Amino acid sequence: MKDPEHGATPSESGASAAGRGEAHKLVPRGGKGKRRRRKPSGSPSAIASPSGLSGEAGRPAALNEAEPARKRKRRRRSKAARPQSQAAAGVSGAATHEPPITDKKGQKRGKKARQRRGLQGRPLASSGKPLTSDRQASRDVPAAPQQPRKDEVRAPYLAPSEPPAPLYAALDLGTNNCRLLVAQPTRPGQFRVVDAFSRIVRLGEGLGASGRLSDDAMERSVEALKICAGKLSARSIRRRRLIATEAARAAENGEAFLKRVAEETGLDLEIIDRETEARLAVSGCSSLVDRETKSVVLFDIGGGSSEIAVIRIGDNRSSRLANHITHWTSLPVGVVTLSERHGGEHVTPDSFETMVREVEGMLDRFDGPSVEALESASGSGFHLIGTSGTVTTLAGVHLDLPRYDRRRVDGLWLSDEEVSAMQARLLSWDFAARAANPCIGPDRADLVLAGCAILEAIRRRWPSNRMRVADRGLREGLLTDMMADDGAWRRGRPRRYQQRGSALASEERQRCHEGNKA
C-alpha cells in the first residue's frame, strides 16, 4: 500500500536501521512533509489502538500525524523504558486512557489532572461518558457504610448481637398510684427512659377506717399491674425490682393481696419498710443536689405516708447521696389518709389549718436537727427538695401550664413567697375549679390541699428561702441503685455484661483465627 503523501510503502520506510536514520534526517523540523513510520513490532508503541489504527495505544492516528518528529522520538524513548508488564496491561484494553494523577491521600492534584489531560496538554481518550457527569454521579452516590470486622468489638465492649445497654425496670405500687419505669443507663448517674406507665388506683382507699384493702381498690390495682406485666414481658429486662409501700404494709390483707397479684399477673412484689422507702426517695433525687449544697431536707409526700430525710454533705461527697442521710422519719399520714379524715372536696381555711397542726404534732416527735443548726453548718447552702404529686402540682400551677410538662417542672426552683402564693391560690378555689385545672384534674382535686397541708407543716419546721421541685421518686431511686450495684456507670472497670461481650468477641476471634489457619 502506497503512502498517499510520499509514495512509499511502510515496509520501505522501516527496512533497516540505517534507512530509518536517513529518513529521519530528511524530515523537516516543522513537521510538514514528514514520513509516517511504523515502529518495530517489539516496541510497546507499535501496539494497535482499539480503533484499529496504527500509532500509540489508545491514541488517535490524527494526533500522531500532526505531532512533530522530535516529540514522537522523545515519547518512544520514554515508552521503551517502561516495564513490559505495563505494555501487556495495555494490550488487554482494560483502560483506554492514563489514570488521573493522584497524591498520597488519593486526591487529584493539578489542573491538568483535574481536567484529565495528558503531558502534552491534549485531552485523554474518553471512556464514552462525559467527565462532568461522572463527577456529578460520584457526588450523588452516597458512600457505602463501612462494615465492622467480625472480630471487632463495639463499645461499650458488647457483642454485636447484644443491645447497646441493658434494660432495668422499677415498679412502685403506692397508696394512690401504680407506676412503672423501664430505662437503660447513659451518662454517669443518669439513664434514658425506654417505657413508662402510671395510673391512679387508690389502693389505700378506706384503709384508715377499716384497716383492710377494699375489693374495688384491689381490682383496680390488679388491672393496672396486668398492663405492667405485659410491658415487662415484651422486653428483655436485665434486672427489675417491684415494690409495694404503705398501703400493702399497713393493711391486714396486704400479704394476701400480693399473693393474688402473683397468681394473676406473674409479678412478685416486695413490701419495703419505711427506712428503705426514705433512702430510695433520696437516691432518686441525687442529681438535683448541687455540688455547693451542704445540707438538704428532702421530703416525699405519699398517699399513705410521708418520708423526710435530713442530708448533710461534707467535703468528701459520696457517689450515693443516701449515704449522707443523718436523720430520717416516716410520718403515718399522706394525702389519701389526711383527706379522708378531714375532707378533701370542701376545704376551708380553718379545716386547712387543722390539717397543718395535725402534721406539726407528728413532726414535733421527730428528733431531727433544727433549721438553725443546718444553716450554721452550711451557710447559704441549705434548701428543701420536694418530690411528690403535691409539689409538682404547685409547680405546674405556678407556671400556668396548659398541660402538665415534666421537662419544665422537674428541677424547677420556687421561692418561699411563690410557694405561699400558690397554696393560697389553691385554697381559694372550689372543687370544680381545682378539677378543671389541667395540672390537677379530677383525680387529684380532692387530694391536693391535703398535700399542701403536709408541705406547710414541713416549711414551718424548716423554713427555707427556696425549694426545688423533683418530678421523681421511688422508681428513679430503684433504677439508680440497681445500675450502681451493677457498675453500669463505672469507667475503666469491667462490667458484668461487658465481660460477657468480651468473652463472646474472644470466641469469635478464635474461630476466625482457626479458619485462617485451615
Side-chain angles (χ1 to χ4, degrees), residues 308-323:
I308 302 172
V310 179
I311 304 169
R312 288 185 174 181
I313 305 172
D315 296 333
N316 298 325
R317 177 167 177 169
S318 174
S319 59
R320 299 194 182 190
L321 187 64
N323 295 337

PDB file of all heavy atoms in Angstrom, residues 308-323:
ATOM      1  N   ILE A 308     -39.316  11.866 105.328  1.00  0.00           N
ATOM      2  CA  ILE A 308     -38.487  13.064 105.448  1.00  0.00           C
ATOM      3  C   ILE A 308     -37.079  12.615 105.793  1.00  0.00           C
ATOM      4  O   ILE A 308     -36.886  11.794 106.706  1.00  0.00           O
ATOM      5  CB  ILE A 308     -39.031  14.032 106.518  1.00  0.00           C
ATOM      6  CG1 ILE A 308     -40.470  14.438 106.188  1.00  0.00           C
ATOM      7  CG2 ILE A 308     -38.152  15.264 106.639  1.00  0.00           C
ATOM      8  CD1 ILE A 308     -41.144  15.233 107.286  1.00  0.00           C
ATOM      9  N   ALA A 309     -36.098  13.161 105.096  1.00  0.00           N
ATOM     10  CA  ALA A 309     -34.693  12.801 105.312  1.00  0.00           C
ATOM     11  C   ALA A 309     -33.868  14.077 105.420  1.00  0.00           C
ATOM     12  O   ALA A 309     -34.015  14.992 104.594  1.00  0.00           O
ATOM     13  CB  ALA A 309     -34.169  11.925 104.186  1.00  0.00           C
ATOM     14  N   VAL A 310     -33.019  14.130 106.436  1.00  0.00           N
ATOM     15  CA  VAL A 310     -32.074  15.237 106.605  1.00  0.00           C
ATOM     16  C   VAL A 310     -30.729  14.779 106.069  1.00  0.00           C
ATOM     17  O   VAL A 310     -30.187  13.744 106.493  1.00  0.00           O
ATOM     18  CB  VAL A 310     -31.965  15.653 108.083  1.00  0.00           C
ATOM     19  CG1 VAL A 310     -30.952  16.786 108.240  1.00  0.00           C
ATOM     20  CG2 VAL A 310     -33.326  16.091 108.613  1.00  0.00           C
ATOM     21  N   ILE A 311     -30.167  15.549 105.145  1.00  0.00           N
ATOM     22  CA  ILE A 311     -28.926  15.174 104.457  1.00  0.00           C
ATOM     23  C   ILE A 311     -27.879  16.236 104.747  1.00  0.00           C
ATOM     24  O   ILE A 311     -28.122  17.439 104.553  1.00  0.00           O
ATOM     25  CB  ILE A 311     -29.161  15.043 102.939  1.00  0.00           C
ATOM     26  CG1 ILE A 311     -30.287  14.048 102.661  1.00  0.00           C
ATOM     27  CG2 ILE A 311     -27.890  14.636 102.225  1.00  0.00           C
ATOM     28  CD1 ILE A 311     -30.767  14.059 101.234  1.00  0.00           C
ATOM     29  N   ARG A 312     -26.726  15.780 105.201  1.00  0.00           N
ATOM     30  CA  ARG A 312     -25.593  16.669 105.432  1.00  0.00           C
ATOM     31  C   ARG A 312     -24.412  16.167 104.609  1.00  0.00           C
ATOM     32  O   ARG A 312     -23.993  15.008 104.737  1.00  0.00           O
ATOM     33  CB  ARG A 312     -25.226  16.727 106.913  1.00  0.00           C
ATOM     34  CG  ARG A 312     -26.233  17.483 107.774  1.00  0.00           C
ATOM     35  CD  ARG A 312     -25.744  17.591 109.202  1.00  0.00           C
ATOM     36  NE  ARG A 312     -26.623  18.423 110.015  1.00  0.00           N
ATOM     37  CZ  ARG A 312     -26.407  18.690 111.299  1.00  0.00           C
ATOM     38  NH1 ARG A 312     -25.343  18.207 111.919  1.00  0.00           N
ATOM     39  NH2 ARG A 312     -27.258  19.452 111.973  1.00  0.00           N
ATOM     40  N   ILE A 313     -23.897  17.043 103.771  1.00  0.00           N
ATOM     41  CA  ILE A 313     -22.816  16.682 102.862  1.00  0.00           C
ATOM     42  C   ILE A 313     -21.563  17.403 103.310  1.00  0.00           C
ATOM     43  O   ILE A 313     -21.535  18.638 103.394  1.00  0.00           O
ATOM     44  CB  ILE A 313     -23.164  17.051 101.401  1.00  0.00           C
ATOM     45  CG1 ILE A 313     -24.499  16.418 101.009  1.00  0.00           C
ATOM     46  CG2 ILE A 313     -22.055  16.612 100.450  1.00  0.00           C
ATOM     47  CD1 ILE A 313     -25.011  16.881  99.675  1.00  0.00           C
ATOM     48  N   GLY A 314     -20.538  16.653 103.601  1.00  0.00           N
ATOM     49  CA  GLY A 314     -19.261  17.237 103.990  1.00  0.00           C
ATOM     50  C   GLY A 314     -18.379  17.492 102.780  1.00  0.00           C
ATOM     51  O   GLY A 314     -18.831  17.638 101.635  1.00  0.00           O
ATOM     52  N   ASP A 315     -17.084  17.540 103.043  1.00  0.00           N
ATOM     53  CA  ASP A 315     -16.127  17.777 101.959  1.00  0.00           C
ATOM     54  C   ASP A 315     -15.996  16.565 101.047  1.00  0.00           C
ATOM     55  O   ASP A 315     -15.783  16.713  99.837  1.00  0.00           O
ATOM     56  CB  ASP A 315     -14.758  18.138 102.553  1.00  0.00           C
ATOM     57  CG  ASP A 315     -14.807  19.449 103.334  1.00  0.00           C
ATOM     58  OD1 ASP A 315     -15.675  20.283 103.011  1.00  0.00           O
ATOM     59  OD2 ASP A 315     -13.996  19.614 104.260  1.00  0.00           O
ATOM     60  N   ASN A 316     -16.101  15.377 101.605  1.00  0.00           N
ATOM     61  CA  ASN A 316     -15.988  14.148 100.813  1.00  0.00           C
ATOM     62  C   ASN A 316     -17.393  13.663 100.461  1.00  0.00           C
ATOM     63  O   ASN A 316     -18.055  12.998 101.259  1.00  0.00           O
ATOM     64  CB  ASN A 316     -15.220  13.074 101.589  1.00  0.00           C
ATOM     65  CG  ASN A 316     -13.802  13.505 101.892  1.00  0.00           C
ATOM     66  OD1 ASN A 316     -13.169  14.188 101.083  1.00  0.00           O
ATOM     67  ND2 ASN A 316     -13.299  13.111 103.054  1.00  0.00           N
ATOM     68  N   ARG A 317     -17.833  13.995  99.280  1.00  0.00           N
ATOM     69  CA  ARG A 317     -19.184  13.629  98.849  1.00  0.00           C
ATOM     70  C   ARG A 317     -19.170  12.238  98.224  1.00  0.00           C
ATOM     71  O   ARG A 317     -18.367  11.944  97.332  1.00  0.00           O
ATOM     72  CB  ARG A 317     -19.721  14.641  97.846  1.00  0.00           C
ATOM     73  CG  ARG A 317     -21.094  14.296  97.302  1.00  0.00           C
ATOM     74  CD  ARG A 317     -21.701  15.458  96.567  1.00  0.00           C
ATOM     75  NE  ARG A 317     -22.993  15.120  95.983  1.00  0.00           N
ATOM     76  CZ  ARG A 317     -23.839  15.987  95.465  1.00  0.00           C
ATOM     77  NH1 ARG A 317     -23.509  17.270  95.446  1.00  0.00           N
ATOM     78  NH2 ARG A 317     -24.986  15.603  94.960  1.00  0.00           N
ATOM     79  N   SER A 318     -20.063  11.389  98.704  1.00  0.00           N
ATOM     80  CA  SER A 318     -20.169  10.033  98.181  1.00  0.00           C
ATOM     81  C   SER A 318     -20.956  10.034  96.883  1.00  0.00           C
ATOM     82  O   SER A 318     -21.749  10.937  96.600  1.00  0.00           O
ATOM     83  CB  SER A 318     -20.854   9.118  99.204  1.00  0.00           C
ATOM     84  OG  SER A 318     -21.086   7.837  98.653  1.00  0.00           O
ATOM     85  N   SER A 319     -20.705   9.006  96.063  1.00  0.00           N
ATOM     86  CA  SER A 319     -21.444   8.880  94.809  1.00  0.00           C
ATOM     87  C   SER A 319     -22.920   8.574  95.051  1.00  0.00           C
ATOM     88  O   SER A 319     -23.746   8.804  94.169  1.00  0.00           O
ATOM     89  CB  SER A 319     -20.822   7.783  93.939  1.00  0.00           C
ATOM     90  OG  SER A 319     -20.829   6.541  94.633  1.00  0.00           O
ATOM     91  N   ARG A 320     -23.249   8.064  96.230  1.00  0.00           N
ATOM     92  CA  ARG A 320     -24.635   7.790  96.603  1.00  0.00           C
ATOM     93  C   ARG A 320     -25.059   8.798  97.668  1.00  0.00           C
ATOM     94  O   ARG A 320     -24.526   8.810  98.775  1.00  0.00           O
ATOM     95  CB  ARG A 320     -24.804   6.365  97.112  1.00  0.00           C
ATOM     96  CG  ARG A 320     -24.435   5.311  96.080  1.00  0.00           C
ATOM     97  CD  ARG A 320     -24.915   3.950  96.488  1.00  0.00           C
ATOM     98  NE  ARG A 320     -24.527   2.937  95.528  1.00  0.00           N
ATOM     99  CZ  ARG A 320     -24.974   1.679  95.529  1.00  0.00           C
ATOM    100  NH1 ARG A 320     -25.831   1.298  96.449  1.00  0.00           N
ATOM    101  NH2 ARG A 320     -24.570   0.820  94.621  1.00  0.00           N
ATOM    102  N   LEU A 321     -26.026   9.625  97.308  1.00  0.00           N
ATOM    103  CA  LEU A 321     -26.472  10.659  98.228  1.00  0.00           C
ATOM    104  C   LEU A 321     -27.098  10.074  99.488  1.00  0.00           C
ATOM    105  O   LEU A 321     -27.055  10.695 100.560  1.00  0.00           O
ATOM    106  CB  LEU A 321     -27.470  11.574  97.515  1.00  0.00           C
ATOM    107  CG  LEU A 321     -27.919  12.824  98.271  1.00  0.00           C
ATOM    108  CD1 LEU A 321     -26.750  13.764  98.503  1.00  0.00           C
ATOM    109  CD2 LEU A 321     -29.025  13.529  97.502  1.00  0.00           C
ATOM    110  N   ALA A 322     -27.663   8.879  99.399  1.00  0.00           N
ATOM    111  CA  ALA A 322     -28.295   8.264 100.575  1.00  0.00           C
ATOM    112  C   ALA A 322     -27.293   7.976 101.683  1.00  0.00           C
ATOM    113  O   ALA A 322     -27.691   7.840 102.850  1.00  0.00           O
ATOM    114  CB  ALA A 322     -29.010   6.977 100.168  1.00  0.00           C
ATOM    115  N   ASN A 323     -26.011   7.905 101.357  1.00  0.00           N
ATOM    116  CA  ASN A 323     -25.000   7.671 102.394  1.00  0.00           C
ATOM    117  C   ASN A 323     -24.808   8.877 103.306  1.00  0.00           C
ATOM    118  O   ASN A 323     -24.183   8.757 104.367  1.00  0.00           O
ATOM    119  CB  ASN A 323     -23.665   7.294 101.757  1.00  0.00           C
ATOM    120  CG  ASN A 323     -23.733   5.971 101.021  1.00  0.00           C
ATOM    121  OD1 ASN A 323     -24.591   5.131 101.311  1.00  0.00           O
ATOM    122  ND2 ASN A 323     -22.842   5.771 100.063  1.00  0.00           N
TER     123      ASN A 323
END
